[in-house]
Amino acid sequence: MPRLYPSAPFKEPFGDLIVTSADAVEFQVYSQILITASPVLGERIAIARSRPGSQSFSSESDDRPPIHITLTEDSNTLDGLFRLCYPIAKPEHAWSHRELSLLLEAALKYRMDWPVSLLVKKLIASAAIRPLHVWACGCRLGLERVARAGAEGALHLTELGTYNRMREFVPVEEFVRDVHKVTAGDYFRLLDFYRQGGSVCASFTLTNLAGSSGDGPSHGTYGDGAYTLVRGFYETLLYHDIICRSSDGRDFPLHKGLLCMCSPTLSDSIRELSDGDLTNGDQSISSCPTIPTLQLAEDGELLAVLLRLCYPGEPALPESLSFLLALQQAAEKYGMTRVVDQIRARWEMLAKRSPLSAYFVASGANLHDEAKVAAKNTLHMDISAQYVVEMEDVSAQIYQRLLNFRERPGRRVAFDMNMTM
């Protein structure tokens, strides 16, 4: 349980800065210590001092009130972090791996060089006992040195795994079930490292150096490829009577009647738009009518393909499974039944061709049936050394669930889709 009040020396009345934690504990500290330790906090403090009503630092203003800043970390984390920065005796008790991870994450965030160095050494020192905890921390924070120390600490074990606080062995299958913010890509690289006995090439990394959002696949990463497929259609379209505008400001000339037939949702929006135009003052018969603009929530890449599918013909569709999934969800949102069927047919064809990618995309979107079909389609493949980029957007638990399914495909395996990063 977090403390309600900070302990000494963070409750002395002499500090010129009050730092409020996420759980509303106020630390009264000396700003110069934090400014020296962290350039990030130094900037925050400078901004706080520049606000109207704040008194700037001066040796002549001993009675000035302290300035205030609020940080997102909880009080336990800030207490440990400030103790590492203060010129006082350091805590003698051993931090848990969770506490070390939170402290290190905060120290990295605030660019505190010495605390980072100390905490990294403490983590690496525990790699022989709790290797996977160290590996997971390194992956979460993007610290290759820490992740490598954890992975190497597991090499001496007959079976890949780690030890809990009770010194009981925990196999990797059970460990990843409870680990958070570790991706399937991280897990794949760990298994590959262990399978090779650590004898990997010089360029091998355990962390995803390219970075990942962690928020699921984003169709926006495909640039203008999707729009290129349908650009010619919009450039030659004649006699349009409405503009559909995307969230990023791209305009598409279209026809009201066709949109109304394709989507009941868009039909309602167009009707409301038309009714609004009629009530905006009286227009003379001779005045030139303006083409109404309908604002939609989707971005231009997605909207370009979605709206093209409302028209006759069979346009080329992107091969990105993530894009197709986003396209299907948008079509379902607008009630475009025929369009949904087209997209699903394309998905099924590509999913058979790339079942591993389809599995991770569907799992990340909590699509139970699609994920299960894709998992079955991987049974004829050797996936032990097969990497797909979609692994970086889903949790390690999702990868382990696939491995479990492949070990016993004839048995019912629970596909719990509520697995978060």
Side-chain angles (χ1 to χ4, degrees):
M1 292 291 294
R3 289 180 294 274
L4 296 177
Y5 303 98
S7 57
F10 308 127
K11 60 180 181 180
E12 306 298 335
F14 309 111
D16 62 326
L17 171 68
I18 292 179
V19 179
T20 304
S21 67
D23 48 349
V25 175
E26 295 185 341
F27 295 81
Q28 190 152 357
V29 297
Y30 293 101
S31 63
Q32 287 303 313
I33 294 178
L34 298 190
I35 291 171
T36 302
S38 166
V40 176
L41 290 180
E43 292 177 4
R44 291 283 303 274
I45 293 167
I47 292 171
R49 282 180 175 159
S50 66
R51 293 182 186 132
S54 297
Q55 297 187 28
S56 60
F57 182 83
S58 170
S59 59
E60 298 176 358
S61 55
D62 293 334
D63 58 345
R64 65 191 182 282
I67 57 176
H68 292 74
I69 63 172
T70 300
L71 302 181
T72 57
E73 289 72 25
D74 63 33
S75 56
N76 286 328
T77 300
L78 290 183
D79 182 273
L81 199 62
F82 293 162
R83 288 183 187 280
L84 291 177
C85 297
Y86 259 60
I88 58 176
K90 305 310 175 189
E92 296 182 359
H93 70 278
W95 283 305
S96 68
H97 273 82
R98 181 179 181 278
E99 290 172 329
L100 276 174
S101 179
L102 291 173
L103 281 169
L104 182 54
E105 183 177 8
L108 288 166
K109 172 183 174 181
Y110 296 120
R111 292 163 52 193
M112 296 177 170
D113 293 341
W114 187 83
V116 167
S117 176
L118 175 70
L119 294 167
V120 164
K121 288 179 181 177
K122 285 183 174 292
L123 272 173
I124 291 177
S126 65
I129 301 174
R130 306 188 74 187
L132 295 191
H133 294 82
V134 176
W135 160 78
C137 182
C139 290
R140 281 195 299 268
L141 302 180
L143 298 174
E144 178 65 22
R145 179 186 170 197
V146 173
R148 181 65 70 99
E152 290 176 345
L155 290 177
H156 71 282
L157 301 174
T158 305
E159 178 186 354
L160 182 57
T162 192
Y163 289 92
N164 61 22
R165 298 181 70 178
M166 304 298 294
R167 300 298 180 93
E168 298 169 329
F169 182 76
V170 179
V172 67
E173 295 85 356
E174 294 183 21
F175 176 80
V176 297
R177 184 181 59 200
D178 300 318
V179 72
H180 296 289
K181 297 184 179 179
V182 173
T183 69
D186 295 326
Y187 189 23
F188 168 83
R189 287 182 286 273
L190 173 68
L191 295 176
D192 193 28
F193 183 84
Y194 187 79
R195 186 165 45 245
Q196 298 184 57
S199 300
V200 294
C201 63
S203 61
F204 182 93
T205 60
L206 285 156
T207 54
N208 177 24
L209 298 181
S212 176
S213 66
D215 296 325
S218 171
H219 64 272
T221 59
Y222 299 98
D224 292 330
Y227 177 66
T228 301
L229 294 174
V230 296
R231 178 191 298 167
F233 170 79
Y234 293 104
E235 291 175 346
T236 58
L237 198 65
L238 300 175
Y239 310 118
H240 66 278
D241 56 4
I242 190 171
I243 297 290
C244 285
R245 179 168 294 162
S246 66
S247 61
D248 51 356
R250 186 174 288 176
D251 289 345
F252 300 95
L254 298 156
H255 301 93
K256 295 179 185 177
L258 194 143
L259 292 180
C260 289
M261 287 188 291
C262 185
S263 166
T265 304
L266 287 181
S267 178
D268 292 341
S269 298
I270 291 171
R271 186 177 296 107
E272 292 175 5
L273 189 65
S274 300
D275 292 344
D277 289 342
L278 291 174
T279 59
N280 288 336
D282 52 358
Q283 296 181 343
S284 64
I285 297 176
S286 60
S287 64
C288 180
T290 59
I291 295 178
T293 298
L294 179 62
Q295 181 69 53
L296 298 177
E298 289 70 29
D299 65 44
E301 285 293 296
L302 189 69
L303 212 54
V305 179
L306 179 68
L307 296 175
R308 170 61 185 91
L309 289 172
C310 294
Y311 283 74
E314 296 184 0
L317 288 173
E319 295 200 357
S320 163
L321 288 164
S322 297
F323 188 95
L324 284 176
L325 183 58
L327 199 62
Q328 177 179 321
Q329 291 171 333
E332 290 172 345
K333 166 186 170 183
Y334 291 114
M336 300 175 176
T337 305
R338 180 180 61 80
V339 173
V340 169
D341 291 340
Q342 283 183 268
I343 298 170
R344 282 180 177 166
R346 177 70 168 173
W347 165 277
E348 290 173 3
M349 183 191 74
L350 293 177
K352 288 181 180 178
R353 184 195 305 172
S354 306
L356 193 58
S357 293
Y359 169 76
F360 289 117
V361 172
S363 295
N366 289 343
L367 297 178
H368 175 94
D369 293 336
E370 287 83 351
K372 196 166 186 179
V373 169
K376 290 179 179 178
N377 288 336
T378 70
L379 293 177
H380 69 283
M381 304 164 52
D382 178 10
I383 67 169
S384 60
Q386 188 168 347
Y387 169 84
V388 292
V389 70
E390 289 81 5
M391 289 177 171
E392 305 300 342
D393 295 309
V394 297
S395 68
Q397 295 100 316
I398 286 175
Y399 190 28
Q400 183 59 54
R401 187 172 65 221
L402 177 63
L403 298 178
N404 291 344
F405 176 80
R406 288 170 57 84
E407 287 178 3
R408 43 189 186 276
R411 295 174 54 188
R412 182 182 180 87
V413 178
F415 270 55
D416 180 11
M417 306 308 296
N418 297 316
M419 289 187 174
T420 61
M421 294 283 288

